[in-house]
Amino acid sequence: MDQYIEYLPVIIPLFIIQIILSITAVIHVIRHPNYRFGKKQVWIPVVLFIGFIGPFIYFIFGRGDD
Amino acid sequence: MNILTIENLSKSFGDNLVIDQMSFSVPKGSIFGFIGKNGSGKTTTMKMILGLLKPSRGTIEVCGERVKYGQTDTNRFIGYLPDVPEFYNYMTAYEYLKLCGEITGLSKKTIKDRRIELLGLVGLDHNNKRIGTFSRGMKQRLGIAQALLHEPKLLICDEPTSALDPIGRKEILDILATVRGKTTVIFSTHILSDVERICDHIGILHHGKIILSGTMQEIKKYYHQDSCLIEFSNIHDRDRFLQATTIENLESSTTTDRICVILKSQALKRMMQEIMSEMIRLDIVPVKIEILDPTLENLFLEVVK
Amino acid sequence: MRPYIVFTKKELIEYGRTYKFFILFTIFIALGFMNPLTAKFMPKILESFMPEGIEIQLPPPSSLDSWAQFFKNVTQTGLFVAIIIFSGMMSREYEKGTLVNMITKGLPRQTVILSKFTASTLLWTLSYWTCFLITHIYTMYFWKGETVLELATSTLFLYLFGIMLISVLLIGSTLFKNSYGGLLFTEGFIAILFLLKLSHKIDNYNPLQLANQNINLLSGNLHPSKLKSPLFVCCTVIILSIISSILIFDKKQI
């Protein structure tokens, strides 16, 4: 385990960014339930569990107009 | 003085001649109803006035300056409301008007004052929602507000009421009526009741030409003739009827459209008597005989025949 | 000048409120952290793939590996994301008809193009250099005392290559009413650059070198002066792209 302590200064911020991305996306998915395609039940797991790609795909392709 | 003068304007898309040698002018201060059927070339004409389309031939002058395609200085005189206005959905009405004002080059103070005034006029004050959430009528009203922002001399509205419900239509017409006198308005439509409600000048567009234009009063007076529409059951009957000497001798203008005939006369009673006696003599039973009211609708139907 | 500033501001607001900037920026930040981390972990990952009993001696990772990750990730992931995000810059406005109002309000047509270019380049600049800064800080932290050659020149080259792609994308997006048109146009351009690699003579001028010779610059295998011609071509393409976008848009029916 000790050998990983060295990497914490990188892993922690990376983890935080991932959380920020996912949470922003989830909030948007719930508050704007009109999407270009897909359903809420699909988008929530997508933005939560598919790393950086999920929120990216949601915001760029899946998000409906306001 | 004329705000807008169009001379010999033509526009074709490929082989399709949409506007054919059109000429008309719009006097200052009028509300000009630009009437035509769908696809008669209303939007095309408006886009050429705005310099968004290049005319094939002819000239357009706005406030005495010639309109050039692409670089359109004349647009500073014009406020434009497209048929389906599209705004940036992520902005609020307030922000959008600010953007428009800044682009037009109005001072900060003017923008602020005009924004408050116009949003009040169109009933969108105290609305902080983004435009994306607006209904069609609200967008149309915002469209009028943005078009009036720089106090244009000429306001061009393309079918402003066509897509709206009766309440929305009334709201738009009321707003347009309030700018009467301050701004010249050109307003295209195929809804003739709207024209009768607020327009004082009209131009009727048909097959790319203005076939009738003038003030509403003049036109109604000029066309205030009693006319009678007769619908026959077949063309044979119609022709026999028209060839009858009494009918040919009637002092009237006649328009025919397949099985329908419209007869006009200053002396309605005499004309009706002659028509009916002639029908009895020829043994023709018409489908319909109708005395036409001189409404704009009848006028329109008559001139576009 | 005022319409230019106003419309550029509008563009930036748009990127902000449609979450495009947020996505671009966070992905570049994430890449910034991932570059040194991947470089550090790479030997361990490779080891784990080796069958048991076979020992291979991998040299310990160096700061050069971290920068290799930077150039690989920025060209493959970063530029890809950026191009997708910027791909609708003009076509989205055509599709919706939102420019009609702006143009009839007296916004000069070339201002539209210049503002679009400025705003997207600004976003690219901010994202790219933030990513660079993060990688730089962590590379210094993990590999204390190690230095590489020509870091500034090398990163600047890739930065300019990115601007060139944005400018090419701008032509594509101005030409086509559909966002995918601009995307395909840019992909076609990149494909041509790759094809030109086949000919040695032309490759000396190929701006693609600005994006794939970076490591050779850092390790000292290549002197920056060798890339003068690609640099010149790259800048020319940027300027020509902006000019032709303006000319195309002048003739465009909106």
Side-chain angles (χ1 to χ4, degrees):
Chain A
M1 203 44 219
D2 277 359
Q3 54 174 333
Y4 292 108
I5 299 239
E6 192 194 351
Y7 302 123
L8 282 184
V10 199
I11 291 170
I12 289 171
L14 207 52
F15 184 68
I16 292 171
I17 293 167
Q18 171 70 71
I19 298 282
I20 291 174
L21 256 177
S22 297
I23 289 184
T24 320
V26 164
I27 292 173
H28 197 278
V29 169
I30 293 170
R31 286 178 58 183
H32 301 82
N34 51 326
Y35 320 110
R36 249 171 268 171
F37 54 88
K39 279 192 256 177
K40 191 184 273 183
Q41 296 91 312
V42 181
W43 280 121
I44 290 177
V46 164
V47 298
L48 278 182
F49 303 118
I50 316 188
F52 291 99
I53 300 166
F56 170 74
I57 292 179
Y58 171 69
F59 277 120
I60 302 305
F61 300 109
R63 188 179 70 92
D65 272 332
D66 291 310
Chain B
M1 195 198 128
N2 289 331
I3 286 277
L4 171 74
T5 311
I6 291 182
E7 267 169 36
N8 293 324
L9 186 70
S10 295
K11 172 75 187 172
S12 41
F13 294 106
D15 288 338
N16 186 11
L17 189 65
V18 181
I19 303 293
D20 180 15
Q21 299 269 322
M22 174 199 279
S23 298
F24 71 96
S25 55
V26 176
K28 195 174 175 206
S30 55
I31 297 190
F32 185 89
F34 195 38
I35 309 164
K37 289 194 272 196
N38 286 334
S40 57
K42 295 181 302 246
T43 303
T44 310
T45 311
M46 293 191 155
K47 287 202 163 162
M48 285 193 283
I49 299 171
L50 288 155
L52 295 172
L53 274 178
K54 197 182 174 123
S56 308
R57 241 168 293 124
T59 58
I60 303 171
E61 275 183 16
V62 176
C63 294
E65 279 182 38
R66 194 155 163 192
V67 177
K68 276 174 271 166
Y69 170 68
Q71 304 299 325
T72 39
D73 294 336
T74 41
N75 282 349
R76 70 181 188 278
F77 301 121
I78 306 177
Y80 174 51
L81 172 65
D83 46 354
V84 185
E86 280 298 341
F87 312 106
Y88 297 113
N89 282 341
Y90 48 82
M91 288 187 173
T92 63
Y94 198 70
E95 287 169 328
Y96 191 78
L97 288 190
K98 187 172 167 223
L99 173 70
C100 292
E102 284 171 338
I103 281 173
T104 320
L106 301 177
S107 74
K108 275 212 166 69
K109 191 181 172 311
T110 322
I111 294 175
K112 208 179 155 210
D113 295 347
R114 293 288 292 159
R115 268 201 297 185
I116 295 167
E117 186 191 331
L118 287 167
L119 287 177
L121 175 74
V122 301
L124 286 173
D125 37 358
H126 312 300
N127 191 323
N128 295 322
K129 293 215 175 83
R130 291 192 180 173
I131 299 170
T133 63
F134 279 19
S135 72
R136 216 147 173 189
M138 286 161 88
K139 281 190 187 176
Q140 209 71 256
R141 281 184 277 146
L142 174 61
I144 294 183
Q146 62 80 24
L148 288 173
L149 188 67
H150 57 296
E151 304 192 287
K153 295 201 165 121
L154 177 62
L155 174 65
I156 298 184
C157 305
D158 191 359
E159 304 259 358
T161 54
S162 304
L164 301 180
D165 57 30
I167 295 170
R169 268 173 56 198
K170 188 182 177 314
E171 283 170 347
I172 300 290
L173 293 177
D174 288 348
I175 294 168
L176 289 182
T178 57
V179 302
R180 187 193 294 275
K182 282 174 259 172
T183 305
T184 310
V185 181
I186 299 184
F187 139 60
S188 83
T189 188
H190 58 260
I191 304 171
L192 294 157
S193 57
D194 289 354
V195 175
E196 281 187 288
R197 210 133 110 191
I198 63 164
C199 293
D200 42 41
H201 283 66
I202 59 164
I204 296 180
L205 180 65
H206 189 58
H207 290 316
K209 280 187 169 150
I210 293 285
I211 50 171
L212 184 65
S213 74
T215 69
M216 197 76 143
Q217 285 169 320
E218 260 170 33
I219 288 176
K220 277 201 161 175
K221 203 164 137 198
Y222 181 73
Y223 277 82
H224 188 86
Q225 287 176 312
D226 291 305
S227 45
C228 168
L229 179 141
I230 308 162
E231 188 179 333
F232 296 92
S233 53
N234 56 55
I235 291 183
H236 180 67
D237 278 1
R238 188 201 71 181
D239 290 343
R240 273 200 310 140
F241 177 74
L242 284 178
Q243 279 152 17
T245 34
T246 357
I247 301 300
E248 279 185 331
N249 290 340
L250 260 179
E251 264 184 61
S252 70
S253 49
T254 319
T255 20
T256 48
D257 172 35
R258 304 179 72 192
I259 52 167
C260 288
V261 171
I262 293 173
L263 295 171
K264 265 187 279 183
S265 169
Q266 304 292 350
L268 179 72
K269 200 176 166 196
R270 217 190 96 227
M271 177 173 76
M272 291 305 286
Q273 283 168 344
E274 279 173 11
I275 289 171
M276 288 197 254
S277 60
E278 201 58 37
M279 282 194 173
I280 293 164
R281 194 179 67 81
L282 292 168
D283 195 22
I284 294 174
V285 179
V287 176
K288 180 163 95 182
I289 300 185
E290 190 187 339
I291 295 168
L292 297 173
D293 293 329
T295 61
L296 193 56
E297 189 163 343
N298 290 331
L299 178 62
F300 178 70
L301 290 174
E302 207 173 295
V303 294
V304 301
K305 281 243 165 73
Chain C
M1 198 58 193
R2 187 153 167 241
Y4 170 71
I5 294 166
V6 168
F7 202 69
T8 308
K9 213 170 85 193
K10 171 254 151 192
E11 279 296 297
L12 294 175
I13 292 174
E14 178 168 336
Y15 282 123
R17 294 204 184 156
T18 54
Y19 293 86
K20 293 202 162 100
F21 175 61
F22 168 71
I23 285 290
L24 185 72
F25 198 57
T26 39
I27 285 183
F28 269 83
I29 290 179
L31 288 179
F33 286 111
M34 265 146 74
N35 298 326
L37 191 67
T38 325
K40 263 292 195 205
F41 268 117
M42 199 46 96
K44 289 202 173 67
I45 296 167
L46 288 177
E47 256 169 44
S48 69
F49 279 117
M50 288 296 152
E52 245 178 89
I54 295 177
E55 283 279 315
I56 50 157
Q57 282 300 310
L58 288 169
S62 70
S63 60
L64 206 59
D65 291 310
S66 177
W67 286 112
Q69 286 296 326
F70 173 83
F71 289 112
K72 183 180 137 274
N73 286 334
V74 169
T75 41
Q76 288 175 9
T77 315
L79 269 175
F80 177 73
V81 169
I83 284 174
I84 287 185
I85 283 178
F86 296 139
S87 65
M89 10 184 195
M90 292 298 288
S91 17
R92 213 177 34 255
E93 302 241 23
Y94 293 154
E95 272 171 25
K96 298 203 138 189
T98 37
L99 277 179
V100 177
N101 250 336
M102 300 288 110
I103 301 287
T104 52
K105 281 263 165 323
L107 181 68
R109 285 189 178 221
Q110 74 259 31
T111 306
V112 176
I113 299 288
L114 292 176
S115 290
K116 297 262 173 194
F117 178 72
T118 310
S120 46
T121 304
L122 259 169
L123 259 53
W124 161 246
T125 307
L126 200 64
S127 309
Y128 180 84
W129 293 113
T130 308
C131 178
F132 166 80
L133 199 68
I134 295 170
T135 304
H136 192 45
I137 289 169
Y138 280 95
T139 307
M140 287 198 303
Y141 168 79
F142 283 130
W143 293 276
K144 286 183 188 72
E146 278 191 40
T147 49
V148 287
L149 299 162
E150 305 290 354
L151 184 59
T153 324
S154 186
T155 44
L156 191 68
F157 281 174
L158 180 56
Y159 169 67
L160 285 173
F161 183 79
I163 295 182
M164 180 182 73
L165 288 191
I166 292 175
S167 71
V168 170
L169 183 63
L170 184 62
I171 307 185
S173 191
T174 310
L175 269 174
F176 301 104
K177 291 222 167 189
N178 188 309
S179 310
Y180 298 106
L183 217 52
L184 282 176
F185 185 84
T186 314
E187 280 162 14
F189 176 80
I190 297 170
I192 290 171
L193 293 186
F194 272 99
L195 279 178
L196 292 181
K197 267 174 80 171
L198 300 175
S199 155
H200 270 288
K201 235 185 191 165
I202 302 174
D203 200 40
N204 289 331
Y205 297 91
N206 196 339
L208 191 63
Q209 297 211 41
L210 301 180
N212 62 16
Q213 292 289 6
N214 314 70
I215 282 302
N216 289 334
L217 291 174
L218 296 190
S219 61
N221 289 340
L222 189 76
H223 193 265
S225 64
K226 294 267 186 209
L227 294 181
K228 251 187 207 156
S229 312
L231 185 66
F232 175 75
V233 173
C234 173
C235 295
T236 315
V237 170
I238 294 174
I239 292 166
L240 286 181
S241 298
I242 296 172
I243 294 174
S244 36
S245 300
I246 290 176
L247 293 178
I248 293 166
F249 186 49
D250 265 347
K251 297 273 168 290
K252 191 89 185 171
Q253 247 173 51
I254 51 166

